[in-house]
Structures are given as structure tokens and as C-alpha cells.
């Protein structure tokens, strides 16, 4: 229930259950996190208010305002899942696990929602298993087709799911990684899953986990594309309202901490013990309470103050400071903390589509990561902190030459 004091907070309608969402964190005016710009595009740049709230009914944590999906997942959407060796291995392992446990029938059918460049489905394809990917972002879908994969260039929703059911029959597995949390119209997704999934099939999705976001104060997991921040309790409530049941949860180390949720039709499978265990852990930590979320918001404000103070001091001392990893999540940090080219001269990134452009909102020039070792700075702000081990191993010469990394999760610190 909303207390009288909380009634003054901004409210919205829950996209999962229709209840009341109460705001606990405002990250200010933000651009589209993956919209890298050229100089002439700056005057037309799109901004929206990035704020987050908690549903008092189903405990789903979600953005207060929705960005139209066509603005986010467009022809030039620049994120390619295959860009990281760690993620390639993760998705090859995931595909093998799904094939072993869920695709044992005579002619199994695996569907992926948001298949990106095919990093998961290629393993399914190589195993000779029938598959279909949905991918509305033009160029990444092309990259998947170039691997020989079957891809529909549509959004997955009730109508498109029904078409696939009619042409291909029921799916044994419907999988999605870092996609379901992007989609405000969850009702259409779940009705689509209901239409397409076979009676014993599973809907498996992995997304950033609210419990990890709170534990690490990783507020940069909050951006336009991450509409929902899931917990086991909120996913359990969501599943139940569409005739499904949360039957397994698997904690994953990727992307700074995720959970892989497995949904089956209600009553079809006995839930694993770890479902109740994770929900008990969430309840003990107050994950879905305004008191805990307000504490998180205060910690986020402290990170902003500390990071700005550090960068301003280094700049005043004449140090050369750059950033590493022009990730979508870094847009939240740079814009919330006010980090532009005056504090960080450039950001290095491995994605060709981002290079030669400016970061969203704060307009820091993006340079190829291959140039980083040839012109070493004094400090590098590690925006891609979730790939810290991989990047620090690759760029070990930087620290050997006296350079230092700046990290801001779970608090601001320097690693030299
Ligand atoms: Zn709700």
C-alpha cells in the first residue's frame, strides 16, 4: 500500500498488472542510449525523462515513461552480441543446455525473440535443429541471415506468434536474452508465447537482475531499453497472470548479474527448489520495498557526486582522462553525472558503427579501441565495467605503463 507520505511521489500505471507504480529514482533528461550521432544530428537529438518506480501490487520495477520502440530498435541499431568473446561462449553454452534439456523430441523447434546477430541460434542451427529468430533491427538481422539462420524482421507479439504457430507448429523452446526487459507491452508477448508454445514447452529468458543491481548499485542498468528490472517475485506474479508458472531461476554472472527465468504452463512442471529460495532471499533483503529502493537512490546520488569530484580534480591537475566502452549503459552515467568532453576527452570502443560518432547526450567523440594502446592516457573511466576482466586482460600494457582505471560500481574507485 502507498503510505500518505508516498502519495506525493509521481505515479504511473504498471505495464505488467495495471496497478500503481510509485517513483523512487529520477535519472534526469536522457537521450536514446544507443543513438550515436554525427555533429549535424545534434539539434534533432531526442530526449526523455528517465525515472524508475515500483508497482505496489505486483512489485514490478519499471520505467515511469516509455520510449516508442521504433525509436530504439531501428535499421542502424548498433549492438552486436557477438562482439564479446565471453558472450559468444555464454550463448553457445546456453544453446547446448537448451538443446540437451528441452529439445529431445523427434523434430524440435526453437524460437528466439530478439535473436540479434544469431549468437545463440547459430549453435541450434549447427545442431540441425529447426529454428526461427525474430529480429526487428535491420542490420543485425542481416548479420544473422548471413550465418544461414532463419530470421523474421518483425517484433514478436501476439499476431506474429500466431502466424508462426500456423506455419511451423508449436515451439518446444522460446528463448530471449536481454530482450524481454526491453518490451513494455509484456501482455502481447505473453499471449504470443501462449499461442506458440507447445503444451510441455518452456519460455526461457535472461535479463539483468534487480537483486544484483541493488547489491552493486549498478544504476547504469537503467536506460531506455531496460524498461523492466525483473526480480523472481515480480516474474512469478507476471507468469501467474498469464497461465504460466515460474519453474526455475538460474543466476548468471554475465552483464553484471542476470537471472535466467524458465516459465512453463501452470501445473506442467514442479518448480525447482531454488525458485522459492531466491524469492525468500529477495524478501529478506527487501528487494521490492520502497525503503530499500530509496536507499539505492541515495547511493546513486553519492556515486554521481564522487565521480564528478574525481574527474574535476583530475582535469584540474592536468591529467589526461578518457573512457573505455561506449556502452548503452554508459549513456545513463554520462548524462546523469554530466560527463562530457570537458571531463573525458574521448571514449574508445570496438564497435565500428559507433566509431567516428559522438556519444548520446553528452557528445564525447568515439575512437576505435585499437588506438587505445598507441596513445595511452593517465586515466581511463571503464564504462564497460561488466566486461572488466576481459578488457583489463586485453589492455594490460596500459596499467604496466602507469595508467589507472576508474570504476564507479559499486562505488567510485581507482585501480592502478
Ligand atoms: Zn504491477
Amino acid at each position: 500500500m502507498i503510505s500518505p507520505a508516498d502519495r506525493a511521489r509521481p505515479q504511473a500505471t504498471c505495464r505488467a498488472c495495471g496497478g500503481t507504480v510509485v517513483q523512487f529514482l529520477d535519472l534526469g533528461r536522457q537521450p536514446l542510449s544507443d543513438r550515436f550521432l554525427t555533429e549535424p544530428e545534434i539539434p534533432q537529438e531526442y530526449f526523455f525523462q528517465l525515472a524508475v518506480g515500483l508497482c505496489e501490487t505486483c512489485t514490478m520495477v519499471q520505467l515511469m515513461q516509455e520510449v516508442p520502440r521504433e525509436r530504439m530498435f531501428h535499421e542502424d541499431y548498433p549492438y552486436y552480441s557477438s562482439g564479446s568473446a565471453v558472450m559468444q561462449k555464454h550463448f553457445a553454452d546456453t544453446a547446448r543446455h537448451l538443446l540437451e534439456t528441452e529439445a529431445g523430441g523427434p523434430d524440435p523447434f526453437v524460437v528466439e525473440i530478439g535473436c540479434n546477430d544469431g549468437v545463440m541460434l547459430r549453435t541450434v542451427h549447427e545442431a540441425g535443429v529447426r529454428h526461427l529468430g525474430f529480429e526487428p533491427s535491420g542490420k543485425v538481422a542481416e548479420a544473422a541471415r548471413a550465418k544461414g539462420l532463419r530470421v523474421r524482421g518483425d517484433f514478436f507479439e501476439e499476431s506474429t506468434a500466431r502466424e508462426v504457430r500456423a506455419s511451423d507448429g508449436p515451439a518446444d523452446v522460446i528463448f530471449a536474452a536481454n530482450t524481454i526487459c526491453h518490451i513494455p507491452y509484456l501482455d502481447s508477448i505473453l499471449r504470443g508465447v501462449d499461442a506458440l508454445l507447445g503444451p510441455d514447452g518452456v519460455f526461457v529468458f535472461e535479463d539483468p537482475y534487480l537483486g544484483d543491481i541493488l547489491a552493486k548499485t549498478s544504476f547504469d542498468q537503467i536506460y531506455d531499453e531496460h524498461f523492466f528490472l525483473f526480480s523472481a517475485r515480480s516474474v512469478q506474479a507476471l507468469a501467474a497472470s498469464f497461465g504460466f508458472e515460474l519453474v526455475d531461476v538460474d543466476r548468471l554472472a554475465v552483464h553484471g548479474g542476470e537471472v535466467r527465468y524458465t516459465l512453463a504452463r501452470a501445473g506442467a512442471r514442479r518448480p525447482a527448489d531454488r525458485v522459492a529460495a531466491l524469492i525468500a532471499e529477495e524478501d529478506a533483503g527487501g528487494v521490492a520495498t520502497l525503503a530499500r529502493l530509496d536507499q539505492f537512490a541515495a547511493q546513486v546520488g553519492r556515486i554521481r557526486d564522487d565521480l564528478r569530484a574525481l574527474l574535476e580534480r583530475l582535469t584540474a591537475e592536468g591529467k589526461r582522462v578518457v573512457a573505455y566502452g561506449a556502452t548503452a549503459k554508459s549513456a545513463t552515467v554520462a548524462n546523469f553525472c554530466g560527463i562530457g568532453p570537458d571531463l573525458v576527452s574521448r571514449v574508445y570502443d570496438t564497435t565500428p558503427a559507433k566509431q567516428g560518432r559522438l556519444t548520446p547526450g553528452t557528445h564525447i567523440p568515439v575512437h576505435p579501441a585499437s588506438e587505445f594502446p598507441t596513445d595511452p592516457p593517465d586515466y581511463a573511466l571503464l564504462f564497460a565495467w561488466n566486461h572488466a576482466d576481459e578488457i583489463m586482460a586485453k589492455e594490460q600494457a596500459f596499467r604496466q605503463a602507469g595508467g589507472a582505471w576508474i570504476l564507479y560500481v559499486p562505488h567510485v574507485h581507482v585501480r592502478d
Side-chain angles (χ1 to χ4, degrees):
M1 288 300 291
I2 303 180
S3 72
D6 293 333
R7 290 206 183 280
R9 297 171 185 246
Q11 295 177 7
T13 301
C14 177
R15 293 300 310 248
C17 81
T20 302
V21 177
V22 183
Q23 182 174 311
F24 61 85
L25 174 62
D26 184 355
L27 291 163
R29 195 171 158 267
Q30 293 275 349
L32 299 181
S33 59
D34 263 320
R35 185 60 94 174
F36 289 77
L37 311 165
T38 58
E39 196 92 39
E41 290 171 331
I42 290 177
Q44 279 83 47
E45 192 170 17
Y46 175 86
F47 286 89
F48 72 106
Q49 196 68 21
L50 180 62
V52 205
L54 169 74
C55 174
E56 60 159 355
T57 306
C58 75
T59 76
M60 186 69 81
V61 171
Q62 58 201 279
L63 300 192
M64 302 297 288
Q65 185 189 334
E66 174 184 333
V67 173
R69 63 185 185 180
E70 291 79 8
R71 282 193 177 274
M72 293 188 282
F73 306 107
H74 47 77
E75 189 59 26
D76 294 323
Y77 182 66
Y79 181 75
Y80 290 77
S81 302
S82 295
S84 153
V86 171
M87 295 314 296
Q88 280 191 30
K89 180 177 184 310
H90 169 74
F91 285 118
D93 291 347
T94 301
R96 278 190 286 271
H97 170 74
L98 291 174
L99 291 172
E100 276 167 25
T101 57
E102 305 293 346
D107 180 22
F109 180 36
V110 175
V111 173
E112 184 171 10
I113 305 173
C115 69
N116 197 271
D117 59 6
V119 65
M120 194 287 288
L121 276 186
R122 71 182 304 171
T123 303
V124 175
H125 176 53
E126 283 160 12
V129 169
R130 224 157 33 97
H131 67 273
L132 177 68
F134 280 81
E135 181 48 68
S137 302
K139 284 181 184 159
V140 287
E142 270 317 305
R145 289 192 189 99
K147 295 179 175 113
L149 302 177
R150 236 183 110 209
V151 181
R152 270 184 79 127
D154 300 319
F155 288 99
F156 181 94
E157 52 204 345
E158 190 177 1
S159 58
T160 50
R162 285 191 184 286
E163 286 171 23
V164 173
R165 171 71 188 236
S167 59
D168 293 71
D172 297 274
V173 179
I174 300 178
F175 178 76
N178 308 304
T179 300
I180 301 306
C181 77
H182 292 189
I183 304 173
Y185 53 100
L186 270 181
D187 50 341
S188 181
I189 294 284
L190 284 155
R191 283 199 302 271
V193 170
D194 190 25
L196 179 55
L197 199 66
D200 300 317
V202 285
F203 175 35
V204 180
F205 60 96
E206 48 190 63
D207 280 295
Y209 176 51
L210 179 61
D212 284 312
I213 292 168
L214 297 182
K216 295 175 187 169
T217 323
S218 48
F219 69 101
D220 53 353
Q221 292 281 15
I222 305 168
Y223 55 95
D224 55 352
E225 293 169 19
H226 287 175
F227 188 84
F228 295 107
L229 305 177
F230 294 131
S231 62
R233 182 171 279 296
S234 65
V235 169
Q236 186 184 53
L238 176 75
S241 61
F242 286 90
F244 293 99
E245 193 171 6
L246 177 61
V247 295
D248 206 357
V249 287
D250 209 344
R251 296 193 72 163
L252 310 171
V254 295
H255 284 313
E258 301 204 331
V259 168
R260 180 186 295 148
Y261 304 94
T262 301
L263 273 54
R265 294 191 183 278
R269 297 187 186 200
R270 199 185 83 79
D273 293 341
R274 51 188 181 174
V275 174
L278 187 56
I279 289 175
E281 186 185 317
E282 290 175 0
D283 289 350
V287 163
T289 63
L290 275 177
R292 177 67 184 95
L293 296 168
D294 284 342
Q295 183 193 22
F296 168 74
Q299 290 167 326
V300 171
R302 201 145 51 233
I303 289 177
R304 175 191 55 196
D305 296 346
D306 290 351
L307 186 56
R308 268 206 72 90
L310 174 63
L311 294 175
E312 283 169 356
R313 178 170 67 76
L314 294 175
T315 302
E317 290 171 358
K319 304 289 191 206
R320 254 190 90 223
V321 184
V322 304
Y324 198 106
T327 56
K329 51 167 70 75
S330 68
T332 296
V333 179
N335 286 276
F336 179 61
C337 303
I339 300 170
D342 54 327
L343 294 176
V344 166
S345 59
R346 55 180 63 179
V347 50
Y348 291 97
D349 196 274
T350 53
T351 312
K354 296 178 181 177
Q355 294 160 3
R357 292 179 172 249
L358 303 170
T359 61
T362 61
H363 309 147
I364 304 169
V366 183
H367 289 248
S370 57
E371 292 175 7
F372 180 73
T374 63
D375 184 19
D378 299 307
Y379 290 87
L381 175 61
L382 187 54
F383 277 143
W385 59 265
N386 51 314
H387 298 295
D389 292 343
E390 197 175 358
I391 291 170
M392 287 185 187
K394 182 180 151 200
E395 305 291 1
Q396 50 182 304
F398 168 57
R399 269 200 288 181
Q400 285 161 2
W405 295 101
I406 300 171
L407 293 114
Y408 47 84
V409 169
H411 53 83
V412 177
H413 58 290
V414 172
R415 211 179 289 176
D416 54 16

